[in-house]
Amino acid sequence: MSTTSPPTAELNWAEGPDGYSLALDGTTLVCRNAKGRRLKSVPKKVRGSAEAERLTSLAQFLERHERECRHSVESWLLGSLPVPAATLAQVWPDPTWQDLLANLFVLPAQGGEGGFLRGVDDNGRIGVVDLDAESTWLEADRVVLAHPVLIEDLDDVREFALELDITQRLPQLTREVHHKPSPIAPDATAVTDYGDAVFAEQRHAVGRAQRLGFAVRGGYAVCRVLEGGRSVQARYWIGADSPDYQTEAGSLIWVDADERPIRLTDVGPIAWSEGIRMAELVYAGRTINEQESQ
């Protein structure tokens, strides 16, 4: 089991009109002329051909498939959900699934040493590179795609990955983590550290949150996490006035599936880390006043 990335695949060229050939480079339609030279763009007369339309439809399907696969893997990661080895064996032959899953740090759901995911055989055995740089099989029928906040000695694991030049398509080890401070007031339900953020226009705050991948509902930037089988939402107030009005951010809170605030002492480590991460990312886009810049 190699720790290096696979070589770039050769393009599969299909015959197009007037001696041109067409192919998909990822999900981008590309073209070469009759002499075999790849062109910088696809000529208009070729783009309207039946073969170009077929490849464009295929590219759209692949993009949807990639989004669906990414959503699934991210949900497993953000929830540190146990994933059956049989499920991984079923999806692993698909290049899109494999690209997203390869090199993620996984742990046996029953506990024990983990490693970087390198392969899954037909019998559902999980092949990993462990922290001794040895290729081995995990004896587990379920594995957890570990959220980095739950990885012991995370800095050592990150350093080990750098030494082996391990890269991850889906950021796991490079994801920012935040640990809950201690002590916390027993009845506290909100973090107020990010409540002094001013945005020149409310739409700036909304746009930043959305560009970062967060939903915006009812004046809040929202991050949903499934932790311990329980749905939890982190909500960071960014205002609900007119989009062109100045807005000031407020508190960060967590709520359960019934919209009830959760005491900070009861917020799990993943929900805490992801909520603080969201607030910090949005907060970083605030309008910097003269006092802050000095």
Side-chain angles (χ1 to χ4, degrees):
M1 290 176 289
S2 171
T3 60
T4 59
S5 300
T8 303
E10 292 287 336
L11 299 185
N12 294 314
W13 294 95
E15 185 177 343
D18 301 331
Y20 290 96
S21 299
L22 293 163
L24 289 179
D25 188 352
T27 56
T28 301
L29 184 67
V30 295
C31 180
R32 66 183 183 186
N33 60 21
K35 295 181 179 180
R37 182 173 64 86
R38 181 165 165 172
L39 306 179
K40 294 182 178 180
S41 62
V42 181
K44 184 177 180 180
K45 64 178 181 178
V46 180
R47 186 174 292 276
S49 67
E51 185 59 31
E53 291 179 358
R54 184 186 71 81
L55 290 174
T56 299
S57 295
L58 176 59
Q60 292 170 348
F61 166 79
L62 292 174
E63 289 174 343
R64 289 195 302 271
H65 180 56
E66 197 274 343
R67 287 195 300 269
E68 292 167 356
C69 295
R70 177 178 288 271
H71 175 76
S72 295
V73 177
E74 284 182 335
S75 68
W76 296 343
L77 177 64
L78 292 181
S80 281
L81 297 174
V83 181
T87 298
L88 294 180
Q90 184 177 14
V91 302
W92 186 260
D94 184 316
T96 302
W97 279 101
Q98 189 175 139
D99 189 38
L100 292 166
L101 289 166
N103 290 328
L104 292 182
F105 191 78
V106 299
L107 296 164
Q110 299 88 345
E113 298 295 325
F116 296 94
L117 181 60
R118 295 301 301 162
V120 187
D121 70 8
D122 294 338
N123 296 319
R125 291 194 304 168
I126 308 297
V128 300
V129 173
D130 64 21
L131 296 181
D132 293 321
E134 297 291 336
S135 296
T136 187
W137 299 99
L138 293 184
E139 297 297 330
D141 59 2
R142 294 184 304 160
V143 295
V144 172
L145 309 185
H147 188 285
V149 78
L150 300 181
I151 298 176
E152 294 184 13
D153 301 321
L154 176 60
D155 289 340
D156 291 341
V157 175
R158 285 171 167 168
E159 184 176 348
F160 180 79
L162 286 174
E163 290 176 0
L164 291 187
D165 197 25
I166 288 176
T167 59
Q168 297 176 324
R169 170 74 183 281
L170 202 66
Q172 179 193 36
L173 297 182
T174 58
R175 195 175 190 85
E176 304 93 336
V177 296
H178 303 275
H179 297 278
K180 191 187 300 185
S182 181
I184 293 179
D187 296 327
T189 58
V191 172
T192 59
D193 296 359
Y194 309 99
D196 61 347
V198 174
F199 294 84
E201 297 181 14
Q202 198 261 347
R203 61 186 169 193
H204 294 168
V206 171
R208 178 171 178 82
Q210 292 176 334
R211 286 193 300 274
L212 291 166
F214 304 112
V216 177
R217 291 193 294 272
Y220 290 96
V222 177
C223 174
R224 179 180 176 274
V225 172
L226 189 67
E227 185 164 15
R230 181 177 70 159
S231 178
V232 177
Q233 282 188 11
R235 295 181 176 179
Y236 178 45
W237 178 257
I238 57 174
D241 291 327
S242 177
D244 56 352
Y245 282 15
Q246 178 178 288
T247 190
E248 184 171 350
S251 297
L252 168 66
I253 64 172
W254 287 261
V255 300
D256 62 19
D258 295 321
E259 307 283 322
R260 295 174 301 192
I262 302 173
R263 290 183 300 181
L264 299 187
T265 53
D266 295 331
V267 175
I270 298 176
W272 179 273
S273 184
E274 290 300 311
I276 297 295
R277 174 179 176 271
M278 174 181 67
E280 287 203 346
L281 287 172
V282 177
Y283 180 85
R286 69 195 184 282
T287 301
I288 305 296
N289 59 36
E290 293 182 3
Q291 184 175 358
E292 284 184 294
S293 62
Q294 291 177 351

